[in-house]
Amino acid sequence: MNVSEPSRGRGGQLAAQRQATIVAEVNSRGAITVAELVERFGVSDMTIRRDLDALDSSGLLHKVHGGATSVGLRSAHEPGFDAKLTQESAAKQAIAIEAAARVQPDSAIGIGAGTTTYALARQLLRVENLTVVTNSARIADVFHGNARSDRTVVLIGGIRTPSDALVGPIATAALQSLHLDLLFLGAHGVDAEHGLSTPNLMEAETNRSFIAASREVVLVADHTKWGTVGLSTFATWSDLDLVVTDSGLPASAKKSMRETGCDLIIAS
């Protein structure tokens, strides 16, 4: 594997070894952040960014804002739940705390599948008299593992995706008869022109049904989702009431998002 132009001496050898490890890690997980690589290798942020520049130029990965993705991560590629769980964990936690503050007792809420919504579920365990409808077995398990008599959890069935969402005609049919106060959705991609998107066509259809059943819709997505476009759009900006994201969102993206007309909360 021609990772980068070799340098003379031990420094060049160490850089080549580090870059080879980065490529292997990205191919295994689908994506990785600069912060994770800095911590792993004990080098500077600038060193990692130079590594990613070199690897991007060699076509071995795609450098993105805040990290890198696999060259196979195209519009129809769907990373697994576990691969995404550790990515941007601090940002997801901050987003979850902000989003959870909007949930009132005696509410009926929908929670779509995803790792940010999974973090949100954990923040909702103390809310009283809550009805939760979800298409994620992982999220249902969060509530079942902390059972309380004043909570109802409805797990909608369907075909399981790589990201552990249950989708398809069964899920869509179940949602058509429901009326939810508030819906929290994540997204594979968030884009000013294309809205919210996913690589999975059936998941897109299920998310549309979730939106149709809900009085208020909240997007919970960290800054790395911005500028990514999946295979199928499931929501336009007119479908959303609120976006909760993190402080890593670039200023240009904040401007674009505010121009959509949605309320925007930056979690710190």
Side-chain angles (χ1 to χ4, degrees), residues 226 249-260 264:
W226 184 262
L249 192 70
S252 58
K254 291 178 186 176
K255 181 176 182 294
S256 295
M257 198 173 285
R258 288 192 173 101
E259 288 173 351
T260 66
L264 176 64

Side-chain angles (χ1 to χ4, degrees), residues 19 38 71 104 118 131-133 153 194 218 236 266:
Q19 290 174 14
V38 167
V71 291
Q104 300 297 318
Y118 177 80
T131 297
V132 178
V133 178
V153 180
H194 300 285
V218 179
T236 63
I266 303 295

Side-chain angles (χ1 to χ4, degrees), residues 4 31 34 36 39 42 61 94 105 113-114 138 161 166 177 193-194 213-214 241:
S4 63
V34 170
E36 289 173 315
E39 182 176 357
L61 52 70
R138 301 256 192 163
T161 71
L166 299 175
S177 63
E193 180 180 356
H194 300 285
S214 305
D241 297 287

Side-chain angles (χ1 to χ4, degrees), residues 58-121:
S58 299
L60 296 171
L61 52 70
H62 292 299
K63 184 181 179 184
V64 297
H65 179 77
T69 63
S70 165
V71 291
L73 197 57
R74 296 292 189 253
S75 61
H77 175 77
E78 187 171 11
F81 184 94
D82 290 327
K84 297 185 290 184
L85 187 60
T86 59
Q87 297 172 15
E88 299 296 330
S89 57
K92 291 173 183 177
Q93 180 73 4
I95 291 167
I97 292 170
E98 286 284 356
R102 298 189 64 83
V103 179
Q104 300 297 318
D106 303 305
S107 297
I109 69 169
I111 306 179
T115 53
T116 306
T117 49
Y118 177 80
L120 170 64

Side-chain angles (χ1 to χ4, degrees), residues 218-231:
V218 179
L219 168 67
V220 288
D222 71 74
H223 69 278
T224 64
K225 304 298 181 70
W226 184 262
T228 298
V229 179
L231 180 63

Side-chain angles (χ1 to χ4, degrees), residues 38-198:
V38 167
E39 182 176 357
R40 171 162 183 173
F41 293 108
V43 295
S44 69
D45 177 281
M46 187 61 67
T47 295
I48 292 299
R49 293 184 188 279
R50 283 197 296 266
D51 286 339
L52 297 184
D53 284 335
L55 295 169
D56 184 275
S57 297
S58 299
L60 296 171
L61 52 70
H62 292 299
K63 184 181 179 184
V64 297
H65 179 77
T69 63
S70 165
V71 291
L73 197 57
R74 296 292 189 253
S75 61
H77 175 77
E78 187 171 11
F81 184 94
D82 290 327
K84 297 185 290 184
L85 187 60
T86 59
Q87 297 172 15
E88 299 296 330
S89 57
K92 291 173 183 177
Q93 180 73 4
I95 291 167
I97 292 170
E98 286 284 356
R102 298 189 64 83
V103 179
Q104 300 297 318
D106 303 305
S107 297
I109 69 169
I111 306 179
T115 53
T116 306
T117 49
Y118 177 80
L120 170 64
R122 302 182 69 85
Q123 293 297 320
L124 296 175
L125 293 175
R126 296 181 181 179
V127 180
E128 299 177 346
N129 299 316
L130 191 64
T131 297
V132 178
V133 178
T134 185
N135 65 330
S136 166
R138 301 256 192 163
I139 288 172
D141 284 344
V142 169
F143 291 109
H144 287 312
N146 295 267
R148 50 187 300 164
S149 60
D150 63 344
R151 183 193 299 129
T152 300
V153 180
V154 180
L155 176 61
I156 295 174
I159 299 168
R160 185 175 179 178
T161 71
S163 60
D164 276 1
L166 299 175
V167 300
I170 295 174
T172 299
L175 288 165
Q176 288 173 351
S177 63
L178 298 181
H179 304 280
L180 303 172
D181 297 312
L182 187 58
L183 171 65
F184 296 96
L185 284 177
H188 169 81
V190 181
D191 183 76
E193 180 180 356
H194 300 285
L196 279 55
S197 59
T198 173

